[in-house]
Amino acid sequence: MPFLELERLSKRFGEIDAARDVSLSVERGGVLAILGPSGSGKTTLLRLVAGFEGPDAGRVIGDGADVTDSSPAARRFGMVFQHYALFPHLTVFGNVAFGLEAQGVPADRIRARVQEVLRLLDLAGFESRRIGELSGGQQQRVALARALAPEPRVLLLDEPLSNLDPALRERTRKELRALISRVGITTLFVTHDQEEAFDLGDRIAVMNAGRIEQVGTAEELYESPASLFVATFVGRANVARARVEAPPPAPRGVGTVDLGPVRWDAKITGAVQRGTPVTVVVRPEWLKLANGSDARALAAVVAERRYMGPAAVFAIDTATGATFEWVSDPDAARPGDRVSVAPDRPVLAFA
């Protein structure tokens, strides 16, 4: 049975639908990432769950109880804000103890709980430090400690790593993943960072314009996106226009699309017939060098090469008129070379 459920939540601000009929669930101890671009409604959804905003319609259910009309404190959901919202005039101890003091917990229990959480987050010995004396990663852990100290039923994270530099973000992401696993707390977090969502989430919900486009594992979203938006938002994507040459025998089955110079096998989403216009999506790493005599080989000219260490990203001007990215061995080609490429699996097509 889901521990946290969102049932058809909707919220409108003026002419903007920040959340439209959103239904999601998180199992006890599970981690659900809400992934989407800026303005998609991610943070509004998190605030609806936390109780900082009231929905126009729908319900929030925690551990089987309807908490839609409950105050944030009554829900016992711990929240870590994007900018941490730490109190600069308080020490680390004071920040972590804040929620417990607000609940009227006895002083001896507060001391014990704060010490326990600080040890859990490798912050023992930092009790008397001021917030301004901490690094960005340490501040993030203090914010987590403050959220975890009252023993919340659910942990809510708003863009938890966005304020950290890339190297620190990667290290902190690993620490956060280990912490969530160790604590075993049901977690819902929002992010615009695909790598963060893939790394931390058991499941990922892709959000766009207030709606949930698809919920699935990282592999499902990348390999079998349900919509053109998901296909192009998740991972790199080359996009071209085509027409259906041979419809698939079943919905979302494999058919054939005609791009003009070539025909490719494609997993086609949507009701189609021969001649239906579709948008084709092919991942850069799906393209491989092909023999020019291969019927699937697409002729192209290398316009640019970006060295990325073990691989290079090539920009190639194709015979379809579209410029594609192609990921391959750094020595595969040089700018100006004429090449032929073909996908090593069926591409994606959306009617």
Side-chain angles (χ1 to χ4, degrees):
M1 178 179 178
F3 188 77
L4 175 65
E5 296 178 86
L6 314 184
E7 290 188 353
R8 308 193 69 173
L9 280 182
S10 294
K11 182 67 177 181
R12 190 175 179 87
F13 296 104
E15 298 300 313
I16 299 174
D17 285 311
R20 293 191 288 171
D21 205 30
V22 173
S23 293
L24 290 170
S25 64
V26 191
E27 298 298 318
R28 184 185 297 272
V31 182
L32 177 65
I34 310 295
L35 175 66
S38 297
S40 61
K42 306 185 302 296
T43 296
T44 295
L45 186 63
L46 203 68
R47 290 177 63 83
L48 290 170
V49 175
F52 299 130
E53 298 282 355
D56 297 330
R59 300 195 302 164
V60 178
I61 298 172
D63 197 15
D66 188 336
V67 298
T68 311
D69 297 323
S70 301
S71 69
R75 297 183 190 208
R76 289 184 52 212
F77 292 175
M79 178 91 171
V80 177
F81 299 92
Q82 181 176 355
H83 298 289
Y84 308 150
L86 297 171
F87 304 118
H89 63 287
L90 296 180
T91 62
V92 168
F93 184 96
N95 270 275
V96 178
F98 182 82
L100 297 170
E101 292 171 346
Q103 293 177 7
V105 176
D108 58 338
R109 287 179 54 196
I110 290 177
R111 282 193 298 273
R113 178 59 180 165
V114 170
Q115 295 294 342
E116 179 185 1
V117 175
L118 291 180
R119 283 194 300 271
L120 180 67
L121 289 163
D122 291 328
L123 288 170
F126 284 71
E127 292 85 347
S128 61
R129 297 269 189 98
R130 294 284 178 177
I131 298 304
E133 299 172 343
L134 304 179
S135 68
Q138 290 166 344
Q139 289 183 24
Q140 197 251 14
R141 281 186 279 153
V142 172
L144 275 169
R146 185 177 63 182
L148 291 172
E151 299 182 83
R153 299 185 300 167
V154 175
L155 180 62
L156 306 174
L157 306 173
D158 184 6
E159 301 276 4
L161 307 178
S162 63
N163 294 323
L164 306 180
D165 63 68
L168 182 58
R169 186 182 303 135
E170 183 175 356
R171 184 168 72 249
T172 306
R173 187 171 65 236
K174 292 178 181 178
E175 294 173 354
L176 181 58
R177 184 177 64 237
L179 170 69
I180 291 173
S181 176
R182 191 159 64 242
V183 175
I185 188 170
T186 305
T187 302
L188 179 69
F189 75 97
V190 304
T191 181
H192 67 276
D193 187 303
Q194 173 190 309
E195 188 173 350
E196 189 175 299
F198 277 25
D199 200 13
L200 294 176
D202 301 328
R203 294 185 306 138
I204 302 157
V206 179
M207 194 168 187
N208 178 38
R211 290 189 180 277
I212 300 299
E213 294 265 345
Q214 185 177 357
V215 182
T217 63
E219 183 175 358
E220 288 168 345
L221 297 178
Y222 192 82
E223 300 288 344
S224 301
S227 68
L228 179 61
F229 175 83
V230 176
T232 53
F233 184 74
V234 174
R236 285 177 168 166
N238 295 310
V239 178
R241 296 296 295 166
R243 291 187 178 276
V244 174
E245 174 70 18
R252 294 184 63 82
V254 176
T256 305
V257 293
D258 185 351
L259 287 88
V262 290
R263 292 180 176 84
W264 285 346
D265 290 341
K267 292 197 293 186
I268 302 175
T269 299
V272 297
Q273 57 187 0
R274 181 182 172 88
T276 299
V278 290
T279 300
V280 168
V281 173
V282 56
R283 306 291 186 194
E285 68 275 12
W286 294 355
L287 295 172
K288 309 298 179 184
L289 280 174
N291 189 304
S293 61
D294 186 337
R296 300 175 304 120
L298 177 63
V301 176
V302 178
E304 182 184 339
R305 172 184 178 271
R306 301 197 305 276
Y307 180 78
M308 307 294 285
V313 179
F314 299 90
I316 56 175
D317 295 329
T318 72
T320 67
T323 298
F324 283 179
E325 281 192 338
W326 163 47
V327 174
S328 189
D329 183 276
D331 297 323
R334 288 290 187 273
D337 287 354
R338 294 184 178 276
V339 296
S340 293
V341 295
D344 64 354
R345 69 195 72 187
V347 299
L348 308 171
F350 300 88

